[in-house]
Amino acid sequence: MFEAADLNIEELLCFCFRPETKNGGGDLIYLATAGKIIKYRGTGQFAHETAVMEAADGKITYADNFDVDIDRLICAFICRLVEECVYRIYDVDEILSHERIELPHDKYGLTDVTDTEFLRQGFRLNDKYYLYNIFLDTSIGSINPEAPNTIEIMQHIKPPARILTRCDNNLAVPYSQMVGTATWDAQKYRGITLNFENISEQLRRGKETIIHYDPKTNHRILLYIKKAIENGTELYHLNVEQIWNPDIFVGTEPVIMTNYLHGTYYPSLEKFEHIDFSVNQYTRDVFELKYRDAEQQTGISIGEYADEHYKVWCVKGGNLSTEVWAQLVCATLDEPFRNIFLETIGGGYTEEETT
């Protein structure tokens, strides 16, 4: 493509390595030199560095004074394009304004993808390749798996469960044009066993709010449980939310997002009916009050509802065990919150190290 375009080498070099401000852009000049992209044709101990500075200031041309490694220059050009032209998305509303979900879906925007061919970075559906939603954690649970840990847990539920997720056409290409960059990896797997046998006795008043925090980071886990009756059957809504310590965010960030998992558990069946994952979005000021957990003073409880509730996936079926729920929670929570969650529910786990 580069050769066919017949680009002017001097213009390309100036775009990549001539700073917009006089005597600025030291990182660009360093890249040009350390990246072995250009080599001065003159001689002398400091001649190269001097010539690079003069070319950056526009005093001499690149093409007439340097030998150029074209392959490295093209790589630098691509990186500069990414840096200059990358589109940044700051909140869920902006994502929703661009999403094109054209396949049949439920009211949350989730499409049934149970029979899809899942891969490490995306999935094949109707001869299209969709990248996973940006909020779906694509970390793995075993050596060189076929799909992310979250998806593998869902696939191994017996009997099979339905899997639903967002299918954004903006993240899709014809399968014949799919390019995968997944590598061979090894990663630790964490699983737990949770005992729900006494949930009715534990929640005599029908609801409970559990808060647990990490004294090193001050991140918190919120586990809110609420009893309900549906068609005469007792069930419990379990809601898990990771609460970041707001001190880690820069002051200019207007919104804060958290991972949020909801599930409905039926004690009579000892199973969940469904488990779903959403991203909760809060304005910065509301989240900081939520984190303080001082409702009597602030008027905002730690269980405050989000401004935006963006559902990413849902799994439904007749055999969603408590172990599956715990595995999915651990797979979906960001890494700093996983041990906090295990401590919150009083569970234990074993690590299987892979090499």
Side-chain angles (χ1 to χ4, degrees):
M1 290 175 65
F2 173 80
E3 292 172 353
D6 194 26
L7 295 174
N8 182 289
I9 296 295
E10 183 67 24
E11 289 183 342
L12 201 56
L13 286 161
C14 289
F15 173 79
C16 291
F17 305 122
R18 183 165 290 170
E20 296 180 0
T21 58
K22 197 77 169 175
N23 298 320
D27 55 338
L28 301 181
I29 296 171
Y30 177 80
L31 174 61
T33 302
K36 299 181 180 180
I37 298 167
I38 58 176
K39 181 180 180 181
Y40 183 52
R41 294 172 184 161
T43 59
Q45 184 177 1
F46 300 106
H48 177 83
E49 288 76 7
T50 302
V52 169
M53 293 295 294
E54 290 182 345
D57 288 340
K59 296 176 181 178
I60 62 173
T61 62
Y62 284 102
D64 293 335
N65 294 278
F66 295 86
D67 293 322
V68 181
D69 186 321
I70 298 298
D71 290 338
R72 291 174 181 263
L73 176 60
I74 292 173
C75 289
F77 175 55
I78 293 171
C79 290
R80 287 286 286 143
L81 285 178
V82 171
E83 184 180 47
E84 291 288 324
C85 304
V86 64
Y87 187 82
R88 293 178 172 84
I89 294 178
Y90 294 97
D91 60 30
V92 167
D93 284 337
E94 194 164 358
I95 294 175
L96 290 170
S97 71
H98 290 281
E99 268 187 338
R100 290 191 299 124
I101 300 179
E102 299 175 359
L103 294 175
H105 56 271
D106 63 16
K107 64 180 181 180
Y108 299 110
L110 304 182
T111 296
D112 193 322
V113 294
T114 305
D115 298 323
T116 288
E117 178 186 352
F118 293 101
L119 303 172
R120 284 275 297 279
Q121 297 167 311
F123 53 94
R124 182 178 185 174
L125 182 63
N126 298 337
D127 213 30
K128 277 190 173 183
Y129 176 71
Y130 292 83
L131 289 175
Y132 292 119
N133 182 279
I134 192 173
F135 293 109
L136 189 146
D137 190 330
T138 56
S139 59
I140 58 176
S142 59
I143 296 178
N144 201 29
E146 295 182 356
N149 190 23
T150 300
I151 300 298
E152 283 196 321
I153 294 171
M154 295 177 182
Q155 289 179 308
H156 288 104
I157 296 169
K158 300 297 181 183
R162 293 170 54 213
I163 303 174
L164 299 88
T165 191
R166 307 183 82 84
C167 297
D168 185 356
N169 270 13
N170 291 320
L171 305 180
V173 295
Y175 187 76
S176 60
Q177 299 178 21
M178 183 273 282
V179 176
T181 60
T183 58
W184 191 96
D185 296 299
Q187 183 167 309
K188 294 179 180 179
Y189 172 82
R190 293 173 176 83
I192 65 170
T193 301
L194 176 64
N195 185 351
F196 275 68
E197 291 180 355
N198 299 317
I199 191 169
S200 297
E201 290 73 16
Q202 291 176 333
L203 276 75
R204 292 183 181 276
R205 300 183 65 181
K207 59 183 178 180
E208 184 69 26
T209 300
I210 302 171
I211 310 297
H212 196 86
Y213 78 100
D214 181 350
K216 295 181 179 179
T217 64
N218 283 326
H219 297 325
R220 301 181 178 187
I221 278 288
L222 165 66
L223 174 55
Y224 177 67
I225 309 171
K226 185 176 182 179
K227 180 180 178 179
I229 301 294
E230 185 174 284
N231 298 325
T233 303
E234 178 187 37
L235 66 96
Y236 291 86
H237 294 275
L238 280 81
N239 308 278
V240 180
E241 186 175 19
Q242 60 183 45
I243 312 295
W244 298 95
N245 174 2
D247 290 341
I248 69 171
F249 298 100
V250 298
T252 57
E253 294 182 8
V255 299
I256 293 176
M257 300 181 189
T258 68
N259 287 356
Y260 178 92
L261 290 104
H262 165 260
T264 52
Y265 175 75
Y266 288 76
S268 60
L269 303 174
E270 297 185 346
K271 306 293 181 186
F272 281 80
E273 185 271 336
H274 84 270
I275 304 166
D276 60 80
F277 162 55
S278 303
V279 173
N280 278 350
Q281 177 176 298
Y282 302 87
T283 59
R284 177 66 176 266
D285 55 345
V286 169
F287 183 83
E288 289 180 344
L289 295 177
K290 174 185 175 79
Y291 174 83
R292 285 180 60 187
D293 191 19
E295 183 178 5
Q296 297 303 318
Q297 297 178 12
T298 65
I300 301 293
S301 73
I302 197 167
E304 179 73 8
Y305 288 114
D307 302 303
E308 295 278 357
H309 187 68
Y310 180 76
K311 200 171 293 291
V312 178
W313 57 253
C314 176
V315 58
K316 300 180 179 181
N319 196 27
L320 303 180
S321 67
T322 55
E323 183 177 0
V324 167
W325 170 77
Q327 289 176 334
L328 282 174
V329 172
C330 275
T332 303
L333 291 174
D334 287 318
E335 196 279 333
F337 295 88
R338 293 171 185 172
N339 277 334
I340 312 175
F341 167 70
L342 296 180
E343 293 174 2
T344 300
I345 59 177
Y349 72 100
T350 59
E351 285 188 349
E352 297 178 1
E353 294 201 1
T354 57
T355 58

